[in-house]
Structures are given as structure tokens and as C-alpha cells.
Amino acid sequence: MNTPQLVIPYVSADYAALVPTFVVAVTALVVIVADLLTPKKMRRAANVAVGIIGLIAAGVLALQGWGHPIAAFGGAFVNGGFAIVFQEIVIVAAVFSLLMSYALGREDQSGGAIALMLWSASGAMLMAGAANLMTVFLGIELLSLALYCLCAMSSRPGARESALKYLILSSTASGFLLYGMALLFGATGSVALSAFANPPASSALFDIGAGMFLIGICFKLSLVPFHVWTPDVYEGAPLPVTAFMSVVTKAGTLAVLARFAYAALPSPHGAAIMLPVWIVAALSMIVGNVAALAQTDLKRLLAYSGIAQLGYIVASLAGTTAFGLRYAIFYLGAYTFMNLGAFAVVALLSRDRDEGSQLTSFNGLGYRQPILAGAMTFFLLSLAGLPPTAGFTGKILILASAVNAGFVWLAALLVVGTAISVYAYFKIVRAMYAQTTGAPIRRAVVPASALPWACVALCAVATLVLGFYPIVPSDVLPLVK
Amino acid sequence: MPVDIANYISLSTVIFFIGVIGVVTRRNPLIVLMSIELMFNAANLAIVAFSKLWGNNAGHIFVFLVVTVAAAEAAIGLAIVVQVFRRAKHVDLDEVAGLRG
């Protein structure tokens, strides 16, 4: 008689590939328990400390997998150089955001908020290695659902409205993404991204599916014309959440986009499918920088600047060359540090209920806080792509990659976008050094703790060092086994 | 008599576009959330139909994951709508336009 056998086809190595993601998710649970157990006086510190220890442990564990690529769970999660680099970027951004949230105090660092931030990070870490439609969808939704709550948790006016707007627009984008996934599944009969590289003959279904999938992805990356939600949500959310979002959602989604473009598309046909994405990237560089010119709120300005920066990174993938991917990852790393550095400076200017993100709070900062103003100038130089910074090196590499891949028009638009962005960023520099009258000058900065200063210093050092030693990970390919 | 796959996909497309039109035209966030559910469930129908067509059971599992995520999404969406309502005493997406684009 034939008895059905219970077979668990997964080995311990499969689970090992997911350990860093699990560690971050479980740390979130530990934070909630710690929030209940610790006395009220040290609750904040305990929550943040547990969160950071968990993240650092996850970062160390993730590095153990370097050089041992594995396609875990039947290819659902591919752990290799590519996934690890993105996971490390997510972890760095989460650690800096937690440090900022500790310094800012108030509602941002209750156990619940920190746990949500960790779950969101674990979603992004899942996306970094996601190699089939199910893991991609789960990662994106884990990331987004936690962020909707985080955005709504602030008591600032407009925060809940912006969270509602974010939820509705982002869920609609998820709907497009999911329907695109359904059509891709229908065209190929498989949920694995690697199986898409040779779709069956009838490919109209595949094209429509890929189009809807890419619309969803471009929305999550907030590329023009899917960017309208970004400035409002950035402005409404608490500052540490904004800093977190500006890096983590982008890193996770970029990992999915890169894997889709490099590993999931049939080679001659894929170029045509991806062409609209490169055009969208070019639009983002121009529109993002032009819109940044008009902003008087730092968070809105950084939102538009982020749209443009993501345009540069996606442009680096144009033509899907191996070097393009490496340069995109390098620029993402540089963007992480210069962007978080700028947010940490804003955090240092914050007061209770007032986030110091108005452009006027920078008036005369160069005379009140020369070191802080110098650091901000350095981060803005990097964002604008001027030497001697990581932003400059990264942009040169992206230009080289775009020209090599035959996208000269993209490289030309990148230069135009950069030229516009210089004006937008130097508005802040001018306020710091030239604007000593006019709006009321705020009192000198008294930091709540040394932590945001540590963030600023670490980001500045990383931006400087990466500018001279462009560490470009070389074994990020292959993406799918 | 087996139903042709095209029928399933046509129905699913129609439901999806009803959802899209609902999101675009309706101003009540509750109706918009319902429309988003329609979009998700249209995708579910398509996935199940394709799963049967290809004989690939991965689709069934995918649908269970989507149903779970959609439930979580609705829960969070309703919670945020309640929070906005507490502050504003009315829920209309045009009134929530205190934010520039």
C-alpha cells in the first residue's frame, strides 16, 4: 500500500538564508516585550538599544552569507552578494533612523513605533532577496503596511491625512502590481522570476503584465509621473520615519526592479519592455530637480531631491549592463549616507512640536553652528554631485555607464538635471551663510543627546571616504540561479 | 462543461477596472478602500484561473497570501480613516486636500 509521505524539501541552509530577515522581525517582538517590562524612565533607551542591537546582529549575520550564494525555498529567496548589499543598506538606514528617533523623543520612539520600523525593514530585506512573485509581493506589502501605520502615528497636523493619502495611492499601486503579477503568471505559468526569461509565444499578456508590474514598482520608487504622493507624505510623517522611508523603501524596491530587469526579462524583447522605465527615470531627474527649486520646507525639498536621485540610480541600470548594476548599488550607498546626513542635521535643528525643517530655521546657521553648517554644506555638495564627495564619484560612474550602454540622451539629461539641482541645494547654503536678517533667527542648537551628532559625523565620514574609494561590490551577479 | 479561461479573465478584467474607476471617481475613503479590495480580488480570480490552466499550484498559495495581506490592508486603512474622522469630523477625500501635491 502506498502511504503518503510527509516530505519537507527544505534544508537548514534554506532557513539560514532568511536568518537576518527573521532576526530583524523577531527583534521587533522583543522591543514590544521590552517596552512592557522596563521601568518608564529607561523605556525609551531600552527600546532603541534593543532595536539597534538586533539590527547590528542581523547585519553581521547577513555578512556571513557573502560568497555563498544560495537559492533558498525552491528559488523563492536568493541570498547572494546582491541581496546582502541591499540588506546592509536597509540595516544602516534603520539604525540611523532609530538613533534620530531616540534624539527627537515624543511619540516616535514608543515600543510600537520602533517595532513597526523594524518590521518595515524586514520587509525591505525580504525584497532584497525576493526572486519570485510571492516573495516580492509579501516584501512590498510588509514594508508598506508598517509604513502606513508609522506615518499615521504622529500627532502633527496633517500627518493622518497624509497617511490616508499614502495608504490609498500606495494600495492602488499595489493593485496594479498584483494584477501585473497575475498576468505575468498567466503568460508564463510560473511564479519564479527566472522562468520569465523565456516566455511562451503569446507575449501580449506578458507585455501588459510587465507594464502593470513596472507601474507599481515606479510608484513605490516615486518616479515621475507617479511621484505626487511623495512630498506630502514626507512632510506629514515624523522626521525619523521620513528619513527611514527615503532610503529603505527605495532600496527594497530598487532591488526588485534590478532583479526584474536583469534576471527576468528575455534578452532582445526585454530592452523594449524596460525602455519606458528609462524614460521615466529621465523625467524624474528633470521634474524632481525643477520642483525642488520652489520648496521652502526641507522635508519637501529632500522629497523632490530624492525623486531626482532615484532617477539617477535607475538611469544607471539603463541597458542592463553588469557595470550599470554595480554603479547603481554604489550610488545607492552614497545616497544613503548623504541623505541620512542631511536628515540628521534637520533632526539637530528640531524642537518640540517643531521639526526645524523650514528653510528659515537655517538662516545664519553658518555663524551660530559653523560645524553643523559645514556638515550640511558637505551633504548638499554630495547631493548636487560636486567633488570631493561620494555623490560626485557616483555620478561620474553613472554617466560612464549610461554612455557605455548607448544611452547618451540619458547621460545628457542627467547633466542637465544636475545643473538645475545645484540651484535648489544652494538655496539652503545661501540661507546658512548669507541670510542673517529677515526671518527670526532661532536660538543656538542644544542637542537632546550626542546621537544625532554621531549620525552627522558618521555620514560625513562615509560620504567623504566613498568619494575617494568607490567600493563597488563586484560579485552582485548572478541574481537568479 | 469546462468554462473557457477567457471568460474568467474577462470577468477579472471587468472587476479590476470597476475597482480602478471606483478609486478614481469616488470621494468617500470607505468606498475607495472597497474599490481597492475589488482590484486585489480581481487579481486573485485571475491567479486562480491561470493556476488551473497551467496546473501550477503555486497560484493557490499566492491567493491565500494576497487574501491575508488585503485583510491587513483593510484593517489599517479603516483605522486611519477613523483617526482622520476623529480630527476632522467628516470623511471626504476632497476635504482632505489640505496638502499640496
Side-chain angles (χ1 to χ4, degrees), chain A residues 42-404:
Chain A
M42 51 184 293
R43 192 172 290 164
R44 286 180 50 191
N47 289 343
V48 172
V50 169
I52 289 177
I53 289 169
L55 283 168
I56 290 174
V60 172
L61 286 169
L63 278 182
Q64 307 297 313
W66 191 268
H68 312 287
I70 171 172
F73 300 105
F77 186 89
V78 177
N79 202 22
F82 177 81
I84 292 170
V85 171
F86 278 96
Q87 288 185 340
E88 295 295 341
I89 288 175
V90 167
I91 288 170
V92 166
V95 167
F96 280 123
S97 309
L98 283 185
L99 287 176
M100 273 183 241
S101 92
Y102 178 71
L104 283 177
R106 298 192 308 282
E107 72 266 20
D108 319 331
Q109 83 297 11
S110 71
I114 290 174
L116 282 169
M117 201 180 264
L118 292 173
W119 278 319
S120 190
S122 72
M125 290 170 71
L126 187 62
M127 285 162 85
N132 89 20
L133 295 178
M134 284 187 249
T135 30
V136 168
F137 183 73
L138 273 186
I140 287 185
E141 290 302 306
L142 184 54
L143 172 77
S144 311
L145 290 178
L147 273 177
Y148 305 148
C149 300
L150 277 174
C151 291
M153 275 177 98
S154 165
S155 58
R156 304 179 50 204
R160 286 163 191 167
E161 284 78 0
S162 78
L164 182 63
K165 186 175 181 179
Y166 182 34
L167 174 105
I168 285 174
L169 291 175
S170 181
S171 302
T172 311
S174 294
F176 274 91
L177 185 87
L178 183 63
Y179 205 80
M181 286 178 172
L183 297 183
L184 287 173
F185 176 54
T188 59
S190 168
V191 289
L193 290 182
S194 54
F196 295 172
N198 39 7
S202 87
S203 70
L205 203 58
F206 185 86
D207 291 353
I208 300 171
M212 293 178 82
F213 180 85
L214 289 172
I215 286 177
I217 293 290
C218 286
F219 178 92
K220 305 275 176 184
L221 282 176
S222 68
L223 295 175
V224 176
F226 311 105
H227 69 291
V228 235
W229 58 278
T230 320
D232 286 345
V233 175
Y234 275 32
E235 193 184 13
L239 185 70
V241 175
T242 312
F244 179 82
M245 269 169 85
S246 73
V247 175
V248 171
T249 53
K250 312 300 177 214
T253 316
L254 200 70
V256 172
L257 177 68
R259 200 184 288 276
F260 185 75
Y262 278 75
L265 289 174
S267 61
H269 191 48
I273 291 179
M274 292 304 289
L275 183 64
V277 177
W278 316 140
I279 295 173
V280 161
L283 275 177
S284 307
M285 296 185 231
I286 303 297
V287 176
N289 282 322
V290 169
L293 285 175
Q295 304 306 319
T296 55
D297 183 293
L298 250 281
K299 278 160 101 184
R300 291 183 78 86
L301 196 150
L302 286 174
Y304 280 113
S305 120
I307 292 168
Q309 303 282 341
L310 257 292
Y312 305 149
I313 299 177
V314 173
S316 174
L317 300 175
T320 58
T321 57
F323 275 108
L325 180 61
R326 292 169 61 182
Y327 297 158
I329 291 175
F330 171 73
Y331 197 86
L332 181 68
Y335 165 76
T336 303
F337 287 112
M338 57 207 189
N339 204 46
L340 288 174
F343 273 111
V345 172
V346 180
L348 273 172
L349 292 175
S350 299
R351 283 289 169 284
D352 296 334
R353 323 287 307 158
D354 170 20
E355 287 192 327
S357 59
Q358 285 300 314
L359 193 59
T360 48
S361 66
F362 283 81
N363 281 356
L365 189 72
Y367 306 99
R368 289 179 285 137
Q369 289 281 330
I371 298 176
L372 197 58
M376 188 66 180
T377 310
F378 185 65
F379 295 132
L380 293 172
L381 276 179
S382 184
L383 284 165
L386 298 175
T389 59
F392 171 72
T393 315
K395 220 170 257 182
I396 294 289
L397 292 175
I398 289 179
L399 275 177
S401 131
V403 172
N404 265 339

Side-chain angles (χ1 to χ4, degrees), chain B residues 76-99:
Chain B
I76 292 173
L78 290 177
I80 294 179
V81 170
V82 168
Q83 289 293 322
V84 171
F85 179 74
R86 280 208 184 134
R87 186 179 287 273
K89 294 293 172 212
H90 52 76
V91 275
D92 185 323
L93 287 183
D94 283 335
E95 303 289 323
V96 186
L99 298 157

